[in-house]
Amino acid sequence: MPNLPAQLESASQALAEIAHLRFACHYPLSQALSFKAGGPGDLVAWPHSQEAILACLQVARDFDLPVTILGRGSNVLVSDRGIRGLVVILASAYSKLDLQNSVLTCQAGCPLYQLAAFCARQGLSGVEGLVGIPGSLGGAVMMNAGAYDYTLGDLVTQVTYIDDQLQVQTLSHADLDFAYRHSYFSDHPGLISQVSLLLKPASPQEIYAKMADFQARRRKSQPLELASAGSSFKRPQGAYASRLIETAGLKGWRHGSCGVSAKHAGFIVNYGGATAQDLRQVFAHVQAEVKRQTGFSLEPEVRFLGDWS
């Protein structure tokens, strides 16, 4: 174990006492992020149950550590200096699915591709359009992910979450405030733990055919072979981000080892070896040029986390 400040050393010892918990010190978060860039997390934990999540959060509270929640790291950029405190990653260790009639209850770490494949096998329709989105369910609910006229918020009936007082709470669909790339959790603290979805029965063959079509369209139009965080900017009212970026002459623009995809201008990509600061500079350049040339202000869809001082 690397040398840690006393506060982090004590917190790591407390994490070690949580049964079956996987955790690491100074973990290189670039290994967990789709951008393949970014610095280390002081302490990183991969809980396997809601009880383990609560125990991790209690450790952070006991030792006055900031907490950052990650899923599959597909919509974030972490600074090269990394993230201070505790990083809780909800991933494959926390991804169980439970089907009762047509209501599917899912742990928040479930990858969207796993969710889509499970639903196809069960003959349940509703998430086909999400199959190529690389994130996990919790993050997808938080930002109300969508593609090809599929929006996750339309399917959500209930969300269980842990509030900032470490209390387990439940919200129904009516209280989740879903809108374009927005949910209740866009404006309120809370760790999404579990999500219930209401799906419609359909032929597995039809579902698989739709999923295959969406995947083929993605492979044709998106730079899936390169490291990215997916769609980089939100759609501004009255326009499309990718078209504005093209209009500004930035499609294919490079900044060292990263830049704007030549295949889809809405994607900022890492060609290999780019730092988080390099990528952040691409975001800033695109925003400045689009604003200067078109008058539109682009808002990143990607979250910038960590120490950017």
Side-chain angles (χ1 to χ4, degrees), residues 283-300:
F283 276 88
H285 180 72
V286 169
Q287 288 175 289
E289 282 299 300
V290 168
K291 177 66 174 177
R292 183 179 69 82
Q293 295 191 44
T294 72
F296 281 90
S297 297
L298 292 182
E299 180 182 353

Side-chain angles (χ1 to χ4, degrees), residues 13 21 34 46 59 83 104 107 109-111 134 147 168 174 192 209 249 263 273 280 288-289:
Q13 292 173 2
L21 177 70
S34 63
W46 292 263
V59 168
I83 298 179
L104 181 61
Q107 291 180 331
C110 182
V168 178
I192 296 173
K263 195 172 189 179
R280 185 74 183 263
E289 282 299 300

Side-chain angles (χ1 to χ4, degrees), residues 8-41:
L8 293 174
E9 176 69 34
S10 298
S12 71
Q13 292 173 2
L15 290 173
E17 296 175 4
I18 300 173
H20 309 298
L21 177 70
R22 177 192 168 201
F23 78 97
C25 306
H26 292 316
Y27 180 79
L29 290 169
S30 59
Q31 296 183 16
L33 304 176
S34 63
F35 252 139
K36 303 303 179 187

Side-chain angles (χ1 to χ4, degrees), residues 1-4 8 22-33 36-46 70-73 78-89 91:
M1 180 179 293
N3 292 326
L4 295 172
L8 293 174
R22 177 192 168 201
F23 78 97
C25 306
H26 292 316
Y27 180 79
L29 290 169
S30 59
Q31 296 183 16
L33 304 176
K36 303 303 179 187
D42 287 343
L43 295 174
V44 180
W46 292 263
L70 291 178
R72 300 189 72 235
V78 170
S79 118
D80 295 310
R81 295 184 179 89
I83 298 179
R84 306 287 70 81
L86 175 65
V87 180
V88 176
I89 297 182

Side-chain angles (χ1 to χ4, degrees), residues 85-290:
L86 175 65
V87 180
V88 176
I89 297 182
L90 302 182
S92 56
Y94 192 65
S95 60
K96 292 179 181 177
L97 304 171
D98 179 53
L99 178 62
Q100 300 292 333
N101 298 318
S102 293
V103 176
L104 181 61
T105 301
C106 322
Q107 291 180 331
C110 182
L112 293 180
Y113 72 81
Q114 179 180 321
L115 171 65
F118 178 88
C119 290
R121 291 194 300 271
Q122 299 296 324
L124 294 171
S125 176
V127 298
E128 294 91 314
L130 307 180
V131 64
I133 298 176
S136 57
L137 182 59
V141 169
M142 185 183 76
M143 66 172 293
N144 191 20
Y148 300 117
D149 296 324
Y150 287 79
T151 302
L152 187 57
D154 293 339
L155 307 172
V156 176
T157 61
Q158 183 174 284
V159 170
T160 299
Y161 72 100
I162 300 169
D163 68 17
D164 55 356
Q165 300 302 310
L166 305 192
Q167 298 298 307
V168 178
Q169 308 282 3
T170 300
L171 288 175
S172 65
H173 178 88
D175 298 318
L176 285 164
D177 194 24
F178 285 120
Y180 173 71
R181 300 298 179 264
H182 180 275
S183 74
Y184 170 90
F185 301 99
S186 303
D187 307 312
H188 301 84
L191 184 158
I192 296 173
S193 172
Q194 189 169 278
V195 179
S196 294
L197 306 172
L198 180 62
L199 303 160
K200 297 179 180 179
S203 160
Q205 290 77 15
E206 292 179 4
I207 295 172
Y208 280 121
K210 287 181 181 179
M211 288 166 55
D213 177 57
F214 292 143
Q215 287 286 58
R217 289 158 68 178
R218 280 194 168 93
R219 285 192 295 270
K220 183 177 180 180
S221 64
Q222 298 177 6
L224 302 183
E225 71 282 4
L226 296 172
S228 78
S231 180
S232 297
F233 296 97
K234 295 180 181 179
R235 184 177 67 236
Q237 188 171 0
Y240 290 93
S242 60
R243 291 179 186 172
L244 293 173
I245 295 168
E246 281 194 58
T247 298
L250 295 172
K251 187 175 184 180
W253 179 80
R254 288 189 65 149
H255 171 64
S257 297
C258 56
V260 179
S261 167
K263 195 172 189 179
H264 190 309
F267 284 64
I268 289 174
V269 295
N270 182 354
Y271 292 102
T275 66
Q277 185 61 34
D278 292 334
L279 289 158
R280 185 74 183 263
Q281 288 172 353
V282 175
F283 276 88
H285 180 72
V286 169
Q287 288 175 289
E289 282 299 300
V290 168

